[in-house]
Amino acid sequence: MKQIILIIASLLFSTLFYDQHLGLNLLLFSILTIGLLYAFNHKSFQRRFLWFYSLAYLITAILVFTIHSNLAVIANVVAFVTLVGAVSRQKTAIYVNWINGIYTSIAGLFHRNFEVDESQNKVDWKKDIDVLQWAKLIGIPLLFVILFIVLYKNGNPIFNEWVSKINFDFINLQWILFSILGYYLLSNISAPISVEPVTSIDVSTSNTLSRPDSITELSSEEVEKQLKKESHLGTTLIGLLNALILIFIVTDVLFLVSDDTSSASALSSQVHNGINTLIASIIVAIVIILYVFRGNLNFYAKNGTLKHLTYLWIFLNIVLIVLIAIKNQNYITAFGLTYKRIGVHIYILMAFMGLVTTFMKVINVKNLLFLFRTNTQIAFVILMLCSAVNWDKIITIYNLKYANSYDIEYLISLSDQNAAPLHALKNTVTISEDAKQRITKKLERYIRRLNENNWQEYTAAHFKEDYKIPQRP
């Protein structure tokens, strides 16, 4: 029964995607995927978080249908491997779900149908699959049928005429191969695989840093002396870094209140240099904090000064983040939105979350795995949220309505998702007639492509009144 379902699903896969662009087909495939995973792994879906991942996957498919952006497609793929990986094992970190999901999608069928003989370091077919028998059952009869057809053709002109009239042009070999690919993918994910020992290690490892055995007796003079030296070193280092970053912040504030921020070159230089400084400083800050609080110092009774200096340093790094965000926003207000400037804001958000989780690691005595687990979850949520925004449309409307200046060539070069708002606003701004004509042509090309799409490629744009051929003046 399972094989029949998979064959039917693979034919649907080929019908949806063969020689088609993404659109409605991805939404239907997402529904099909969730249905297959539930049908073959219904016990796993008793866990609530699987329904959360299923909902996230379905929402990203809806976003592909409504927004139809590359970011929504990427989010859909990430949500797909996350859901598949989550089915394979419960209580695993999201990065383990990614590993399991990718491995299952690529090699799940082979993994299930091979078994490893560790004593002989060999990989053998599972005993219940007789490959040689199947090869004989298909190959030998097919070979003799072809042989006798050739012999009979030469022996009987009528039979030869009948065989010659058989036309196999209706068979699309590429479509068949695509269906086989769909069967392979769906068969892979029908029974998700846990990659070992990564999965087991993740499940068995806590987020809390374990208390080392060497510190259980603090009366030991040697241990006390070593911890005191490490504490002094960490206090001196982070104290000096606090003073340095404080001086940097003061100079940055002086720049913000100066008149130099009115020029594009000054703002651009400050934002780009600032983000490079931010990247380097945040990475170094987190590495230093992780090194200082890697073990025994977390449990040292006299680490209060060191911890307070660390908290101060994290706070000052957050202040640095805020200053970079202000400069980037000033840049956007003056010269408009671009993907790079939006990317700076997103990175600033991720850097802020990285510092917050580092603070949580220090104050709650967590280990490095806690940081990795938490930040990968945050990255997943940020990706889902960003994919829900039509950035091309936002950039176009903001630049033409609110920015002090803008680059019309940049707006025209964006994807077709901004074709309608760009055309609607072209007469409200001062641009050349050539630019207006190219904007109109861009919308016409987009509408023409929409009209040529098959039903599998339908998106929300096919049902909007905005996408009609505009009348030329």
Side-chain angles (χ1 to χ4, degrees), residues 360-373:
M360 293 170 61
K361 176 253 183 297
V362 176
I363 197 171
N364 295 319
V365 194
K366 299 295 184 178
N367 54 22
L368 182 61
L369 194 56
F370 163 78
L371 276 182
F372 194 57
R373 286 168 172 167

Side-chain angles (χ1 to χ4, degrees), residues 3-287:
Q3 294 303 318
I4 296 176
I5 294 175
L6 289 175
I7 291 173
I8 295 173
S10 66
L11 296 177
L12 290 174
F13 174 86
S14 193
T15 302
L16 290 173
F17 291 110
Y18 177 72
D19 201 24
Q20 309 291 335
H21 294 99
L22 295 180
L24 178 63
N25 49 8
L26 192 61
L27 175 57
L28 296 177
F29 175 73
S30 299
I31 296 172
L32 174 64
T33 299
I34 295 172
L36 287 177
L37 286 172
Y38 179 80
F40 298 137
N41 307 273
H42 58 275
K43 291 184 178 179
S44 297
F45 276 82
Q46 294 175 359
R47 294 168 273 164
R48 291 183 180 180
F49 73 92
L50 269 184
W51 289 108
F52 167 77
Y53 285 135
S54 299
L55 181 62
Y57 177 47
L58 185 60
I59 289 174
T60 58
I62 295 173
L63 292 174
V64 173
F65 177 76
T66 55
I67 299 176
H68 204 248
S69 65
N70 292 333
L71 187 59
V73 174
I74 294 172
N76 182 263
V77 173
V78 174
F80 170 79
V81 297
T82 304
L83 173 61
V84 173
V87 173
S88 67
R89 187 78 172 266
Q90 62 177 335
K91 297 181 179 180
T92 52
I94 195 167
Y95 74 92
V96 177
N97 292 339
W98 295 341
I99 295 173
N100 290 337
I102 294 172
Y103 180 77
T104 296
S105 301
I106 296 174
L109 181 63
F110 287 103
H111 181 98
R112 294 194 301 271
N113 291 326
F114 279 89
E115 60 182 7
V116 179
D117 186 349
E118 295 182 356
S119 62
Q120 301 181 9
N121 196 24
K122 292 173 60 179
V123 178
D124 299 315
W125 280 100
K126 284 186 176 178
K127 295 180 180 179
D128 59 345
I129 299 178
D130 194 340
V131 181
L132 183 60
Q133 176 62 22
W134 275 102
K136 290 179 180 178
L137 187 63
I138 297 174
I140 293 177
L142 183 62
L143 178 64
F144 280 100
V145 166
I146 295 174
L147 175 63
F148 276 94
I149 286 176
V150 173
L151 293 175
Y152 291 157
K153 282 179 62 178
N154 294 329
N156 189 318
I158 297 178
F159 183 80
N160 180 45
E161 182 181 356
W162 285 4
V163 172
S164 299
K165 290 181 178 179
I166 298 176
N167 186 359
F168 292 99
D169 291 343
F170 67 93
I171 299 177
N172 189 329
L173 182 60
Q174 292 180 338
W175 190 90
I176 294 174
L177 293 176
F178 202 81
S179 299
I180 294 173
L181 175 64
Y183 175 84
Y184 177 73
L185 174 63
L186 296 171
S187 180
N188 283 346
I189 68 172
S190 64
I193 304 298
S194 296
V195 177
E196 298 294 350
V198 176
T199 305
S200 296
I201 291 175
D202 178 76
V203 171
S204 61
T205 304
S206 171
N207 286 328
T208 303
L209 189 65
S210 300
R211 185 183 183 90
D213 295 334
S214 60
I215 199 173
T216 55
E217 298 180 2
L218 286 179
S219 58
S220 171
E221 293 183 1
E222 185 177 351
V223 174
E224 179 75 21
K225 185 177 180 180
Q226 181 183 359
L227 292 178
K228 189 174 182 180
K229 287 181 178 179
E230 288 187 17
S231 180
H232 284 169
L233 175 60
T235 301
T236 303
L237 174 61
I238 295 181
L240 290 173
L241 291 175
N242 272 316
L244 184 61
I245 195 174
L246 187 59
I247 295 172
F248 179 82
I249 288 172
V250 170
T251 59
D252 220 26
V253 172
L254 291 175
F255 172 80
L256 280 175
V257 299
S258 68
D259 295 331
D260 292 339
T261 57
S262 59
S263 67
S265 59
L267 271 175
S268 176
S269 176
Q270 278 296 309
V271 170
H272 294 157
N273 292 337
I275 196 64
N276 291 334
T277 302
L278 179 64
I279 292 171
S281 65
I282 295 302
I283 293 175
V284 173
I286 292 175
V287 169

Side-chain angles (χ1 to χ4, degrees), residues 444-458:
E444 291 177 349
R445 283 196 305 269
Y446 181 44
I447 295 173
R448 194 173 298 112
R449 184 167 65 82
L450 290 178
N451 292 332
E452 293 172 354
N453 284 346
N454 297 317
W455 66 266
Q456 296 96 325
E457 303 168 301
Y458 276 14

Side-chain angles (χ1 to χ4, degrees), residues 302-429:
K302 300 178 181 179
N303 66 359
T305 302
L306 177 59
K307 279 196 170 185
H308 287 114
L309 286 173
T310 301
Y311 301 152
L312 177 60
W313 196 29
I314 292 174
F315 172 75
L316 291 176
N317 275 279
I318 292 176
V319 173
L320 178 62
I321 288 176
V322 173
L323 292 175
I324 296 298
I326 291 173
K327 284 186 284 188
N328 190 47
Q329 188 57 46
N330 288 342
Y331 196 15
I332 291 171
T333 302
F335 306 104
L337 275 172
T338 65
Y339 271 103
K340 288 184 178 180
R341 294 162 200 168
I342 294 171
V344 169
H345 270 327
I346 293 173
Y347 173 77
I348 287 171
L349 174 61
M350 295 181 68
F352 171 77
M353 298 307 300
L355 286 171
V356 170
T357 54
T358 302
F359 172 78
M360 293 170 61
K361 176 253 183 297
V362 176
I363 197 171
N364 295 319
V365 194
K366 299 295 184 178
N367 54 22
L368 182 61
L369 194 56
F370 163 78
L371 276 182
F372 194 57
R373 286 168 172 167
T374 305
N375 287 315
T376 49
Q377 289 174 340
I378 291 172
F380 177 76
V381 172
I382 290 176
L383 175 61
M384 297 297 109
L385 293 176
C386 289
S387 67
V389 180
N390 188 338
W391 292 110
D392 286 353
K393 183 177 180 180
I394 295 294
I395 290 172
T396 301
I397 295 175
Y398 179 88
N399 287 2
L400 296 182
K401 283 189 173 183
Y402 306 108
N404 296 335
S405 62
Y406 51 85
D407 183 358
I408 194 64
E409 296 298 327
Y410 175 76
L411 298 179
I412 295 175
S413 68
L414 294 177
S415 76
D416 290 336
Q417 299 307 310
N418 78 334
L422 185 59
H423 183 268
L425 295 172
K426 68 182 177 66
N427 293 322
T428 65
V429 294

